[in-house]
Amino acid sequence: MRNFCLSALITFFTLHLKAQTPSALPWGEATSPKYEVRAVWLTVINGLDWPSSSNQDAQKRELTQILDKYQQAGINTVLLQSRVRATTIYPSAYEPWEGGFSGTPGKAPAYDPLQFCIDECHRRGMECHAWVVTIPIGKWDKIGAQQLRKKQPKLVKRIGEDAFLDPENPLTATYLANICREITRNYDIDGIHLDYIRYPEQWRIKVSRAKGRENITAIVRAIRAAVKSEKPWVKLSCSPIGKHDDLTRYRAGGWNARTAVCQDAQEWLRLGLMDQLYPMMYFQGDNFYPFAIDWQEKSYGRTVVPGLGIYFLDPREGRWTLDIVQREMNVCRQLGLGHCYFRSRFFTDNVKGLYDFCQRFDASPALVPPMTWEGRPRPTAPTAISLNGGNTLSWSGATDRSGAPGLTYNVYASEDYPVNTDKAENLMAARLSVTSIKVPQSSVNYAVTAMDRYGQESPAAQLLINAGPVYSAPLIARSDGRPIALPQQSSVLDADFIIVETMLGQSVAILPYSPTLDISRLPDGMYQLRSLGRKGRNHRIGFFAKKTPRNT
């Protein structure tokens, strides 16, 4: 039955997508879900994404600007390269400093980049995962490999000009587990993300493939035990080769995770060794969709987030057009998978309009799927919720029962009462670390849930504002998909343009002023409108909620 379902899905998506033109795939085609990982790989090696200079004040400003752009585009997970090539971006007892932050390899900067990024991510309601490059340790004569060769000479193997940890030496598992334990113990990290957790492609594998897979799995087991013994809520993930293995109808072309490099990632999901996977699916067409379905079918209830090769949009890297990425994101969403961008600079630089598209595609907030497999009790609901001063929603009284410190909160809004917190379109703000938020002075109803570090939500505390069925807001009263009537320029606003924003201030669209505003392509949810006048003045002119009628 599984093979039949897989074949049917592959046939459907292959025929369906080949028949599409870019114009037939509007950004709102796939409904935005409540739970979805939206991630970015933030690379620090050679300053590819960050930092662009050794000036440390400039580095901080640059990172906050990058994270602001992530937040405005709906990103909820940042994978920050923290162990680079046997060098680190934090003070380590095991390895020297990566040189890009101080300007000198091995020299410490005047601040802790990992701590700074964690704090800034959490301030914006995003998770921060420490990305750990495992087996490759850089050029043989570079500082990372040099120092590790002196400390652990039996662990290091040379292939050409490059150095690697030996995946066949049992002490490699202990060494990497200690690195990951160090990060987990010392930082309020949300995840440990393993890269290159496999045999290097340059390695001549002389053991059987079964033995090779045992060797890599032993490293994964050791790291998981180290991480979970410190903080069981910290997610363990990895980025396997994008094709797990050959499929019945589609071959992997000789490059796959399980057979080529002994990376048994789907087995790690089945055994519960991984909480998330980010397969590097830097392909298109028949090299993408069948293998995405295969990952989804063998996820075993865990979270799978395909990594998208957005770097191919850059003419210097490839010849992809934007519609290739649009289609892949739509299909991933239809399959219940997340999406992760490789890598940050191509995303924030808006190559071929990608960032603009992603702002619209992910205009509504989404939560990271909860780690229900850990079997922890949910938090209790807030016991006090109120609307103060007309536009400040406050709450208190929730209790964490999971044993992990640090509750966050999600806010929902709807015309209906009680507010349905299972509906993605009602999610207004996610992963707040504060217990109050400014909301529209309107007659919608509100609900607040507490969320623990495992991503589990409490029951909702409900606040009844309006028992009637009609939504109203300053100046604007339309809530279906029909055009909104705007106030006349002469009487209320001096506007050349209208800015549509989510309730978190994420810009969705900037449109020339007209007496009516077409909202038909917006996802369901709550929005605010701002005017942009001739002198550059920006004024909020009202709120609206789009709720598409559904056939019953």
Side-chain angles (χ1 to χ4, degrees), residues 2 36 49 351 402:
R2 195 202 73 81
E36 183 176 66
D49 295 324
V351 177
S402 71

Side-chain angles (χ1 to χ4, degrees), residues 196 198-202 240-246 251-263 280 282-283 291:
Y196 284 94
R198 56 180 174 85
Y199 275 81
E201 53 266 38
Q202 303 96 321
I241 302 299
K243 301 172 183 179
H244 182 66
D245 216 334
D246 289 339
R251 312 297 288 177
W255 182 238
N256 59 65
R258 186 174 184 272
T259 300
V261 292
C262 300
Q263 190 177 42
M280 300 180 294
Y282 309 151
F283 318 109
F291 296 94

